[in-house]
Amino acid sequence: MESPPVVVGQRVRAVLDVALRVPSLFITDAILNLPHDASAGFLSLLLQLALRLLGVVASMVVLVLSRRALFKFYMITTALGLAATSVLVNYYSTLHLNSYRASSSEAFGLEFLPSNGPSLWMTLIILQLIFGIGFITLLQVQSYSQLIILNLLIPTVGLIIELPLGVQQILVFVSAFVLVLYTASCLAFRFKWFYYSTKYTVLLLKHMYQVYGMQLMVEDAWKKIHFPDVLRVFWLTRLATQAVFFFYVVRLSSVDSGEVSYVIPWNDFWDLVCNLIINGCDSTLTVLGMSAVISSIAHYLGLGILAFIGSTEEEDKRLGFVAPVLFFILALQTGLSGLKPEERLVRLCRNMCLLLTAVLHFIHGMTDPVLMSLIASHVSSYRRHLPVLLVSACLFVLPVLLSCVLWRYYALNTWLFAVTAFCVELCLKVIVSLTVYTLFMIDGYYNVLWEKLDDYVYYVRSTGSIVEFVFGVIMFGNGAYTMMFESGSKIRACMMCLHAYFNIYLQAKNGWKTFMNRRKAVKKINSLPEVKGSESREIDDVCAICYQEFHTSARITPCHHYFHALCLRKWLYIQDTCPMCHQKVYIDDDSKENASVSNNNVFVVPQEEPAPPEPAPPDADREADQELDEQNLSEDDSVECDEEEWTMEPHNSTSEEHVSDDTDSLGE
């Protein structure tokens, strides 16, 4: 087990690995949101485009760096920042400070440094020492480190001994020039390492692409750089910064109006929240960041629901992936980031309503298998049933409340029609699940074989599937109307094609396949003989599928095995063989005819005995005896030939070994 300091160090490195990638997203977002100057010339526009592209590429390269390379990049960047700060401090202290008054003559009218001379000198010396030590530590300088620190202190020494102003400026310039030369030389010596590291990275990526493909490469990079966490921190940091700025503006406005209060009024607070939401999705990167936040919320919501209903399925934990993908697709489909602020807020609320209905549908997909498993395993504990039933009730009530609220405040349009259709479909799904649950509970309560149960369950589920298919067709028509008359886009067209394939075509195909399989199974069952009444009770055996006795009736297979009709029908959904001996239970008429035509050699008509062979004439017997004698002679000859070949094989093998020995000796 690892010690606590090691664990803390790993967590700190993981936090820094995420935090140090966030500035790249801020720079990329700022570059992409820069305004375009339409009055500029062609060359100016081309230059601006090239600079923006270069900035975005550099930011993306920093974003996808490995942890070690990222830390080294920030170490070098921080070292360069310390060097630049040291030069600026020397320049500021030389031009804007008076050694007698030791106060700031400019810079916002504030006194940044002590008022007496020795305190000023000590402060400048300590600052330069901090800058110098930090520079040589981060840049990992191994030679001339003392001279670098002394070089940074020379302008401060000139200020202390009160050299002429021109001489002090020359010292500042010389110190900065020496520092630049030394930094350039250090970076030049490291260029070789940078070149080989870049070459190794390119070769590694090429090898990974050839072996694993592009998809696995992207997934591996996605996990290594913790991109969802980076997007989440970027969006929350941006939101917090804007919240502080808006709060400061509201406070200034309240102070100007003469109202001094630390509590923001409700109207101002609502405006603040609306502005934050509007600015939180004003670009593609911010939409991705909001998707990452929604992913985190949906993930923990899904885990909470799974823990509440007692499910352990791994596939049900995909809510944190489905919800952000749907939100991002809706944002792209509606052009959310390119709308005006007022329209963006309205569109975002509509997208969130659609996302809420989709999440409720996914939660129903999580609860329905748990509900069916409880009744299949005959769990009698109310503590297991009550959470699932409570979630199912919420899934029925929430869509009803959402539809009522939306119909009260909004007029009918394509968006409201879509949300209402999703809500009604979800309510029907819940009704179907609870109806099937009730049927199975009734069957388990009476402990009697209910042969019509499977039919009732099939009728209920098929009704729900038909209604769901009808709603899918209606939603396709609603989407087609929206695309043609309201807001058509390529993304919407692609989504409509996917909807038509998965929710209409595949659903109709699977439903028809299920119907035909059931029809064939019923036909097979009806073709088998049936034992009813007292005869079924006289069977001294149990059904090999459900291990229950025969109380009402039984079906007899051609191999003389007894089964319940319901059990055998469920078995025939899967395969056509007997569960006991694996013989064919039912053979179609077509297959019987094909078998009778193809089996020409030993075909025997059912329920008919084969005809006896006719007696052969005496001449035929003589000819047959002659043929047998000739055949025996040929067999004897073949045996003799085989014996001769068998005796000749050792000689041939020895000669071959001799030849091989000779070739070996020649080779040597």
Side-chain angles (χ1 to χ4, degrees), residues 20 50 194 212 215 268 322 326 337 365 373 382 417 432 527 539 650:
L20 294 179
F194 175 76
Y212 301 106
Q215 182 180 357
D268 295 338
V322 174
L326 287 177
S337 59
S373 65
Y382 291 102
F417 183 80
V432 169
S527 65
I539 300 174

Side-chain angles (χ1 to χ4, degrees), residues 334-510:
T334 57
L336 182 64
S337 59
L339 298 175
K340 296 180 180 179
E342 297 81 6
E343 298 177 356
R344 191 186 307 152
L345 181 61
V346 175
R347 178 55 63 184
L348 180 62
C349 294
R350 293 181 176 182
N351 290 352
M352 294 303 291
C353 290
L354 291 171
L355 180 64
L356 177 60
T357 56
V359 169
L360 293 178
H361 276 269
F362 190 88
I363 294 174
H364 173 264
M366 295 162 52
T367 57
D368 185 67
V370 179
L371 199 64
M372 296 301 107
S373 65
L374 289 177
I375 56 180
S377 57
H378 302 286
V379 177
S380 59
S381 176
Y382 291 102
R383 294 182 179 180
R384 292 291 308 276
H385 290 259
L386 186 60
V388 187
L389 294 176
L390 183 60
V391 174
S392 300
C394 293
L395 291 176
F396 183 82
V397 174
L398 288 178
V400 174
L401 293 177
L402 179 62
S403 300
C404 293
V405 171
L406 293 179
W407 276 92
R408 182 178 180 181
Y409 291 101
Y410 294 95
L412 179 61
N413 52 23
T414 54
W415 161 77
L416 184 58
F417 183 80
V419 175
T420 306
F422 284 136
C423 292
V424 174
E425 183 182 358
L426 178 59
C427 292
L428 291 175
K429 284 184 176 181
V430 175
I431 291 173
V432 169
S433 299
L434 293 179
T435 305
V436 173
Y437 170 80
T438 305
L439 291 174
F440 278 104
M441 290 298 292
I442 294 173
D443 177 66
Y445 179 77
Y446 286 104
N447 292 325
V448 178
L449 183 62
W450 191 4
E451 294 188 358
K452 294 294 183 179
L453 175 63
D454 186 66
D455 295 331
Y456 294 152
V457 172
Y458 173 74
Y459 296 151
V460 172
R461 289 195 178 276
S462 60
T463 303
S465 300
I466 291 172
V467 173
E468 187 176 352
F469 174 77
V470 171
F471 272 101
V473 175
I474 293 174
M475 292 305 301
F476 181 80
N478 183 63
Y481 179 84
T482 304
M483 186 179 67
M484 289 187 295
F485 298 103
E486 292 185 2
S487 59
S489 61
K490 296 180 181 179
I491 299 177
R492 185 182 294 275
C494 294
M495 295 304 299
M496 286 185 60
C497 294
L498 294 176
H499 171 75
Y501 179 73
F502 288 102
N503 297 335
I504 297 178
Y505 172 72
L506 287 183
Q507 189 172 0
K509 181 181 178 181
N510 295 332

